[in-house]
Amino acid sequence: MAVREADRVPLIGRHGRRDDLEAGMKEIVGESLARRLVEWGVDTVFGLPGDGINGLMEGFRRQRERLRFVLVHHEEAAAFMATGYAKATGRLGVCAATSGPGAIHLLNGLYDAKLDHVPVLALTGMQETSVLGTYYQQEVHLDRLYQDLAAYNLVITNPQQLPGVVDLAIRTALSRRTVAHLSFPNDIQVAVAGEDPYRHVGPGGPPSSLPTWSRPPLRPEQEDLARAAEVLSDGERVAMLVGVGARHAREEVLAVAERLASPIVKTLPGKFVVPDDHPLTTGGLGLLGTRPSEELMEECDTLLMVGTSFPYSTYLPAPGRARVVQIDVDPSLVGMRRPTEAPVAADARLALRELLPMLEPAADRSFLARYQRKMDAWRADMKALQDPSRDPIAPQYLMGCVDETASGDAILTCDSGTIATWAARHWTIRGGREFYLSGNLATMAPGLPYAIGMQHAFPGRQVIAFVGDGGFAMLMADFLTAVRHDLPIKVVINNNNSYGQILWEQIVLGYPEYAVRHRRPEADFSAWARGCGAFGVKISDPRELPGALRRAFSHDGPALVDCDVNPDEPPMPGRVKYEQAKAFTEAFLRGQPHKANILATVARDKFSELRP
């Protein structure tokens, strides 16, 4: 059967506008999708083409003046970029991958979005409907694969499903702050939009005007606030634990803490809710947290949790030791970790704003004053570890130099591993600074693609990826993506030539380390940066580090600093427990291969802390 000229899918067109051939063509499903994304305010899709999404790519091409496609080198990076974009902007992130292996590669980045509650739409391809179920090449039934992942998960089987299912997918992603997934068989992608080969009854049409839509702020119930105020007013030693759900409520968090004379503890994803140098905060909690925060959780008699369902319950007050008030926009998360006497299901800003006038000012501020003194001592200890005379370079010094060199509104992205410890303790939130990492999934490798997605969203801000050599090596090809898209990200590699966090976990468990260090020499990732046409420098001398960072951060394009650091620097907990110390000692007695270097490093750290 001959194909009419008007129905043909064009292969090429002049950049910047539709050519004459294109103007006479009927709209295909791929273009209908692209048009609908634009109407929802989407301006960017991160992805990698393949023969399983050629029809979608043609649709993106036809809408290229309004919808930018950022070509990446690995689909996992595309999902991380969309997730980072959504984390930093609060808007919908969108990524696309071909059928089979391409769609499988998206999963890690998409699970990061799901577990950290950010809206991302994944678009994938699938084989033609006529060959599904015939063991066709790369046939993977993605709706089944994504069943645990996506809150809205659909294979498109009829052109008339668009744009209705696109609206539902986006509404679901935005309202539930999660992942939605649409998969398009090849024949559906290039079908003429609006035609119905099965003559089904189509859904009702969408509204003529479709604004950007998301869940409105949830207002608190007055009875819930009254109960919360009663519990908090009765407390003598009140502490606050705030998470990323309170990121938009900084002033309200500080006002309530001031009224209650309550120290503020922060989760790691919520690090930028309150400035690190503010006198009301004791910093983070957990393995990467501070000693004062850990002690505070043991001593407080009342805990106000805001915007967090902190997963590491062993760091929370023991059951029955403290009365709990919890404010969270998701009612299903309230009371998950500890029995909650006063639950408040509401937006953090609205709840705290209405709670504040119900609270009596604390008459006794001695509890807060005592923890302020503890925190002053902790900050001095951390500053002492940023020792420029140490050789090999101390990772604390590297992070301290980044902290001093970065701008006041810089965005720092971070990988999982020991680098998260150094960032948590030595990256200072002040002014408009922000901080992002993979929170609940705690996966390796998102730091670089996060930075690319966020730099695209905020072209005028400084975006820094603080990553380890292990995480960078996983997706390093996408540094070239930043170069090719003129994104001036700054990458700082904490190069210990090992999987540092795993190394220390083995030791703490009582095992000698095994298979966690790479053979020497350390990789020189700066050569890769220069090979990509970007700024790149390798640093092993601590005296050269400050100048190298200044040159990199002032460079007007992508820049990378690869810094060799001490591989035997332990990411010590805020307070070492007896069981941890016992296991650490037993590992050494069993033949820890690098015991001399590790003991020397620990001794130097202690000397630095005690030195006046």
Side-chain angles (χ1 to χ4, degrees):
M1 177 178 172
V3 179
R4 295 173 299 169
E5 185 64 21
D7 292 340
R8 288 186 185 275
V9 176
L11 297 178
I12 57 173
R14 291 191 294 274
H15 180 70
R17 65 176 181 84
R18 287 190 173 193
D19 59 25
D20 293 337
L21 178 64
E22 195 172 323
M25 292 179 177
K26 288 186 177 181
E27 183 176 278
I28 61 173
V29 166
E31 184 177 9
S32 177
L33 167 66
R35 187 185 301 278
R36 201 57 165 181
L37 293 176
V38 170
E39 290 171 356
W40 274 96
V42 174
D43 57 15
T44 306
V45 176
F46 301 95
L48 185 60
D51 59 359
I53 55 169
N54 279 336
L56 299 189
M57 294 304 302
E58 171 59 17
F60 297 153
R61 187 190 72 82
R62 294 188 188 185
Q63 292 293 316
R64 61 192 178 276
E65 295 180 18
R66 299 189 294 170
L67 185 66
R68 183 182 185 187
F69 186 83
V70 176
L71 176 62
V72 306
H73 289 83
H74 196 290
E75 291 92 351
E76 183 179 355
F80 279 134
M81 290 176 197
T83 300
Y85 180 94
K87 284 186 176 185
T89 64
R91 297 167 57 192
L92 182 72
V94 182
C95 56
T98 190
S99 56
I104 294 170
H105 284 158
L106 290 177
L107 288 173
N108 197 43
L110 294 176
Y111 266 105
D112 183 40
K114 175 184 178 176
L115 296 185
D116 281 356
H117 307 289
V118 293
V120 172
L121 173 63
L123 306 170
T124 65
M126 190 174 284
Q127 283 68 27
E128 287 83 354
T129 55
S130 60
V131 299
L132 291 177
T134 66
Y135 305 105
Y136 201 74
Q137 184 185 31
Q138 296 186 338
E139 182 181 347
V140 176
H141 292 263
L142 298 175
D143 52 328
R144 302 175 196 172
L145 182 67
Y146 280 58
Q147 188 171 356
D148 175 65
L149 168 66
Y152 189 91
N153 180 28
L154 186 69
V155 177
I156 309 301
T157 57
N158 189 320
Q160 285 206 342
Q161 290 176 278
L162 272 71
V165 296
V166 178
D167 296 344
L168 286 170
I170 294 176
R171 283 194 177 101
T172 301
L174 288 172
S175 63
R176 300 187 190 178
R177 314 298 294 177
T178 191
V179 175
H181 169 237
L182 295 174
S183 191
F184 295 79
N186 272 327
D187 51 333
I188 300 295
Q189 295 175 36
V190 297
V192 175
E195 287 193 357
D196 183 5
Y198 311 114
R199 303 194 180 279
H200 290 156
V201 177
S208 57
S209 177
L210 190 64
T212 301
W213 185 90
S214 62
R215 178 171 54 194
L218 181 63
R219 303 198 69 88
E221 297 289 341
Q222 291 304 305
E223 305 84 48
D224 294 342
L225 289 177
R227 180 58 180 156
E230 178 184 348
V231 173
L232 294 169
S233 297
D234 287 346
E236 296 180 356
R237 301 183 302 278
V238 182
M240 290 182 69
L241 175 61
V242 301
V244 71
R247 62 176 292 180
H248 62 303
R250 174 181 289 186
E251 297 307 316
E252 289 77 11
V253 167
L254 293 172
V256 168
E258 180 66 32
R259 182 70 57 91
L260 295 170
S262 166
I264 301 170
V265 180
K266 303 184 292 182
T267 68
L268 189 56
K271 179 177 171 65
F272 63 101
V273 173
V274 174
D276 282 313
D277 55 2
H278 198 282
L280 286 173
T281 187
T282 59
L285 182 65
L287 186 63
L288 314 186
T290 71
R291 187 186 311 116
S293 289
E294 196 166 338
E295 293 174 352
L296 177 63
M297 288 294 110
E298 294 181 353
E299 191 176 354
C300 68
D301 63 13
T302 308
L303 178 63
L304 171 57
M305 300 175 66
V306 184
T308 180
S309 58
F310 190 73
Y312 309 108
S313 57
T314 56
Y315 289 94
L316 296 175
R321 291 284 300 274
R323 305 173 74 185
V324 178
V325 176
Q326 186 174 356
I327 300 171
D328 201 290
V329 73
D330 186 346
S332 69
L333 300 179
V334 176
M336 179 181 294
R337 310 302 176 193
R338 287 291 181 267
T340 301
E341 194 167 338
V344 180
D347 173 79
R349 175 188 285 172
L350 294 180
L352 293 175
R353 189 176 292 171
E354 295 186 29
L355 178 64
L356 183 62
M358 299 180 176
L359 301 171
E360 292 294 329
D364 184 358
R365 303 179 71 85
S366 59
F367 181 65
L368 171 62
R370 183 151 51 87
Y371 274 92
Q372 287 175 326
R373 292 191 295 271
K374 288 175 179 281
M375 195 57 193
D376 288 342
W378 172 266
R379 290 187 179 107
D381 287 346
M382 293 301 101
K383 187 68 176 177
L385 294 175
Q386 298 174 198
D387 186 351
S389 66
R390 297 261 298 273
D391 190 2
I393 296 171
Q396 299 96 324
Y397 178 59
L398 169 59
M399 189 69 252
C401 289
V402 172
D403 184 59
E404 291 179 5
T405 309
S407 65
D409 68 343
I411 297 173
L412 186 80
T413 68
C414 186
D415 271 1
S416 299
T418 55
I419 46 171
T421 302
W422 317 134
R425 294 177 178 170
H426 300 274
W427 170 252
T428 307
I429 297 297
R430 56 177 177 265
R433 284 185 173 181
E434 297 179 27
F435 174 74
Y436 297 94
L437 80 172
S438 175
N440 287 294
L441 187 61
T443 180
M444 293 180 67
L448 172 64
Y450 272 9
I452 292 172
M454 293 177 189
Q455 188 74 84
H456 175 78
F458 300 106
R461 292 180 66 177
Q462 186 180 70
V463 181
I464 306 165
F466 183 62
V467 297
D469 55 296
F472 182 76
M474 286 182 173
L475 293 173
M476 61 185 287
D478 276 289
F479 183 78
L480 188 56
T481 298
V483 175
R484 286 172 167 164
H485 289 272
D486 299 318
L487 297 171
I489 63 169
K490 314 305 175 191
V491 177
V492 179
I493 300 177
N494 182 87
N495 193 339
N496 58 17
N497 205 38
S498 67
Y499 296 104
Q501 188 70 34
I502 305 168
L503 184 159
W504 292 103
E505 286 171 350
Q506 288 180 352
I507 293 176
V508 168
L509 287 171
Y511 309 137
E513 66 170 73
Y514 179 70
V516 288
R517 297 184 192 249
H518 292 292
R519 294 181 179 178
R520 296 178 67 88
E522 293 83 358
D524 183 358
F525 295 107
S526 69
W528 166 242
R530 293 190 297 273
C532 293
F535 177 95
V537 62
K538 179 74 166 177
I539 297 295
S540 56
D541 186 337
R543 295 170 296 182
E544 299 176 356
L545 180 57
L549 288 172
R550 286 193 295 269
R551 294 196 305 276
F553 287 10
S554 62
H555 183 69
D556 62 1
L560 183 149
V561 176
D562 182 6
C563 182
D564 293 338
V565 299
N566 186 356
D568 298 310
E569 182 70 33
M572 301 297 285
R575 186 174 62 177
V576 179
K577 295 180 173 61
Y578 170 76
E579 292 81 6
Q580 293 170 319
K582 181 173 180 288
F584 189 89
T585 303
E586 289 175 348
F588 272 70
L589 294 177
R590 289 177 187 162
Q592 169 62 35
H594 297 272
K595 65 175 68 176
N597 290 338
I598 292 172
L599 287 175
T601 299
V602 173
R604 284 197 299 267
D605 285 351
K606 274 296 159 194
F607 178 77
S608 297
E609 290 179 18
L610 296 173
R611 185 172 56 190

